[in-house]
Structures are given as C-alpha cells and as structure tokens.
Amino acid sequence: NGTYYLGITASDGVNSKNYFVPVYVNGLPRKLWGILYVSTPTGNSVEIRKIDTLMQDSILVSLSGDFASSELSSKYQKLFVAGAQTGNFQAIDLSTKSISWSVINQSNNGSPWFYQLHFIDNLIYASTQDGFISGYTPNGMRTKVYTLPTSWHGVKFIEAGGRLIAQVEDVPTSNPQIAQFYSSSASFISQQEVQFKVVEFCPYNSEKNLIFANIEGVGRIYEFNFLPHSFNEVTEIPNQQIIDVAQVSSEKYLVLTNQQVYVYDRNQTIGLMTLNTASRKPDGPALLA
C-alpha cells in the first residue's frame, strides 16, 4: 500500500514543464502459496518439498550432496540451499522448479566449506571455509565480500545497526569469537573471544542484538550491545541445549531445545514460557519462520 508519484515532463524543445501525478495503490493481501521445507532423505541427497494449502505434500526439486543451510526469498521467489562438505550453494527458482545458478563446494579436507546463509537487503550471504562472507545478488553476482583474519571462518552472522556481526571460529581449534564489520564498506572493526557457541542472532534495536547460544550444552540468552562490545545474560535454560530459534514477532521468539519448545518474550520479567513438550534429536528438523 502507499502513495506514489508519476513524474511527467512536457517540452517544446526549448521550454519544459514538470508535473507530478499522485497514484494511490491499495495492495492486494499476501496469499499463502504453501510451506516449503528442506529434507535430507539420505546423507548425500536433499529434497525441496512443499505442503500446499490443502496439506498435500509434494517434492519440488531434488539435489545431490549434503545440507548445511537454507534461506527463502518470497520477493524473488527463490530458495537458496548450501551443502557442507559435498553440496553446492544453489539458487532454486520456485516458479520453474529449477536451479537458477550455483557456486561449487570446494571442500577437500573433510571440513564444511559452506556454513550459514542469510538473506538481507536484496543480497544472499554465504560464509565459507576460506574466511569470506560473500554477498550475492538474487541473480548470482558476487557484489560484497567481508574478509576475516587468516585461519578464521564465519559460522553465524547478521546485519544490524549498519554492521555485520559474526560468530567466527578458528579453523584448527574451533574456538569461538565475535567479529564486527561496517556494512557500508565491509571493513573490519573488532574481534573478541567468547565462551559460547551462537545458535542464532536476532534483531533487538539499533544498538543491540539478542544472542541465543549454548555453553557446554546449557542454553543461554544474551543481550549483545555491539557498540561497546558487551554482553548481558538475561536468562539460562538449565540442563537443556538450544537447538534452533525462530522470531515470530517483534517481541517474541520460539526457542527449541533438546527437550521442549519455549516462547521467549523479551518484554516480560519472566520471559521464558513453556509452549509444549518435545522429543527431538539435535540433528533433526529445525524451526522456520
């Protein structure tokens, strides 16, 4: 919805006159086409499947290789899928149910090549073992690159407050750190050691993120003020490991652990509420929002 303006210029070759005509647009409501999910029927194959509005399940695309991460762009009608050790980074055109473009997986040492995918500001970002976080246009053109220090690679990341904030790991030891870059220039700001492994970064405000993480199998939620690079632990989930997180509103988040599903409301004093009981393996399905 909104008001737009059509600019009109009339000229006799010497003199000209500009006029702007308002155009009022009442946008059609969004329509649910279906629910997409990524499954791994075998260790070296991936299926893109759809559940339609009649709850009928069907396969859209089959891919070879393993699975690391996926991201969806409804705007561009594309699903992006990346493998870890064998699967390529591929853009699936949902209108034609075909591979639009791909980037080759270069792993040759038994470690993952691709890690997280993240779609923001019309770019799909992929972190790779060689220490780059690369932004690609929906058509596959590599247009922005964040370069990590030697021997480090990005595992989880988010763009917020004009910065790229990334959980990075040292390749030989997997020791975690948090690195920051300026989004506009992709230039490096800082890097700091942390004790936790990030499960998900979530937006909070212009100066903070929420970090859902684990320390030795115990789930914790932090406020991360990235301007002074400081952390404030807001809650702990004793004896439970956070598996995945999905933001469902500006205030609420679904938190999946290895035992239960919670709703975390950052505006409530007791922010973590049990949703239901679950039984799930850490390598099973994940939450999508």
Side-chain angles (χ1 to χ4, degrees):
N1 295 330
T3 302
Y4 301 83
Y5 292 89
L6 178 65
I8 300 172
T9 300
S11 174
D12 61 5
V14 178
N15 302 301
S16 63
K17 177 69 175 179
N18 295 322
Y19 189 72
F20 294 91
V21 178
V23 179
Y24 304 98
V25 176
N26 292 318
L28 292 174
R30 292 185 177 185
K31 182 179 179 181
L32 179 64
W33 177 63
I35 299 170
L36 298 181
Y37 69 97
V38 180
S39 68
T40 53
T42 68
N44 208 42
S45 65
V46 175
E47 290 182 350
I48 315 302
R49 303 187 67 94
K50 172 189 172 185
I51 300 174
D52 63 23
T53 54
L54 298 177
M55 300 307 292
Q56 300 298 311
D57 185 4
S58 61
I59 185 169
L60 297 182
V61 181
S62 294
L63 305 173
S64 60
D66 60 5
F67 174 75
S69 181
S70 63
E71 273 280 74
L72 174 68
S73 170
S74 294
K75 176 180 178 180
Y76 293 99
Q77 291 290 287
K78 286 184 177 178
L79 180 73
F80 305 94
V81 180
Q85 298 176 12
T86 59
N88 295 329
F89 170 29
Q90 302 181 87
I92 312 300
D93 189 324
L94 298 174
S95 61
T96 62
K97 302 178 184 178
S98 62
I99 299 173
S100 176
W101 52 267
S102 64
V103 179
I104 299 298
N105 190 315
Q106 299 183 47
S107 177
N108 58 9
N109 58 4
S111 297
W113 181 258
F114 294 109
Y115 290 86
Q116 187 190 12
L117 299 181
H118 185 62
F119 191 87
I120 189 170
D121 292 338
N122 299 317
L123 292 178
I124 177 70
Y125 288 90
S127 54
T128 47
Q129 185 192 116
D130 55 358
F132 296 116
I133 299 176
S134 304
Y136 297 83
T137 67
N139 294 324
M141 182 179 296
R142 190 184 189 201
T143 61
K144 183 182 282 190
V145 179
Y146 296 95
T147 305
L148 297 174
T150 302
S151 84
W152 291 85
H153 60 266
V155 179
K156 289 283 185 179
F157 55 91
I158 189 174
E159 276 200 325
R163 300 184 177 203
L164 181 107
I165 301 164
Q167 166 101 67
V168 299
E169 292 182 353
D170 179 76
V171 175
T173 65
S174 296
N175 290 331
Q177 296 195 9
I178 299 292
Q180 296 190 59
F181 299 81
Y182 290 114
S183 299
S184 57
S185 61
S187 58
F188 179 77
I189 301 174
S190 64
Q191 190 167 317
Q192 178 177 318
E193 184 176 354
V194 293
Q195 300 301 314
F196 53 79
K197 294 288 186 77
V198 175
V199 177
E200 199 65 67
F201 290 102
C202 291
Y204 187 93
N205 58 32
S206 61
E207 298 179 355
K208 295 180 181 179
N209 285 328
L210 281 180
I211 294 180
F212 296 83
N214 293 304
I215 299 179
E216 297 180 349
V218 176
R220 286 180 167 87
I221 304 175
Y222 299 90
E223 288 181 0
F224 172 43
N225 190 327
F226 48 80
L227 296 180
H229 210 123
S230 63
F231 300 90
N232 174 39
E233 182 177 324
V234 294
T235 192
E236 178 183 312
I237 310 177
N239 304 315
Q240 296 185 46
Q241 179 180 353
I242 298 176
I243 303 300
D244 203 7
V245 179
Q247 185 172 0
V248 294
S249 73
S250 60
E251 313 295 340
K252 294 183 179 180
Y253 306 79
L254 287 178
V255 181
L256 176 66
T257 74
N258 56 343
Q259 297 183 31
Q260 298 185 81
V261 180
Y262 293 92
V263 176
Y264 174 68
D265 189 332
R266 63 184 177 90
N267 280 339
Q268 298 295 322
T269 304
I270 303 175
L272 202 63
M273 298 165 286
T274 302
L275 181 63
N276 68 357
T277 306
S279 177
R280 180 189 181 276
K281 297 179 180 179
D283 58 351
L287 290 173
L288 298 176

